[in-house]
Amino acid sequence: MAANEGVGRVGRSEESERLAKALVELREAQGLSVGELARRTRLSQATIRLHESDRGDVPLPFAARRFEEVLGWAPGSIPTTESEPPPGSVTTGG
């Protein structure tokens, strides 16, 4: 079973809260700014702020993997959104 299978809205909220707490604790423990954490994860500062704010959404798979790396968590331990566009794809409004 994939990490994101069976994760309902309540489960997502709990997981996003766990991630938010871990990211804030990491930054505080290491004295990192949002910008420094963004550089370490190769994610935007807006993405860091979003996931530190615990708005109830779990990250996209690529962001989750980068958070797992910096937090020292096992690969696949952060549930993710169901899917993301394939690399290089372009989505347009219809």
Side-chain angles (χ1 to χ4, degrees):
M1 181 181 212
N4 63 343
E5 289 180 12
V7 178
R9 191 70 183 152
V10 171
R12 284 183 182 211
S13 179
E14 291 169 1
E15 289 299 329
S16 65
E17 182 179 325
R18 179 177 75 106
L19 176 60
K21 183 178 178 183
L23 291 172
V24 170
E25 287 176 355
L26 174 74
R27 283 201 319 104
E28 289 175 353
Q30 296 187 10
L32 301 175
S33 67
V34 170
E36 179 58 30
L37 183 56
R39 282 187 287 282
R40 286 188 183 190
T41 58
R42 300 172 316 276
L43 298 169
S44 71
Q45 290 184 38
T47 297
I48 301 299
R49 285 190 202 102
L50 172 68
H51 292 293
E52 283 189 351
S53 72
D54 179 29
R55 294 195 183 138
D57 290 330
V58 293
L60 291 171
F62 76 91
R65 302 303 78 90
R66 292 176 183 175
F67 287 139
E68 289 164 351
E69 289 173 12
V70 77
L71 291 167
W73 292 2
S77 63
I78 298 175
T80 62
T81 57
E82 284 73 28
S83 63
E84 60 185 294
S89 70
V90 176
T91 57
T92 60

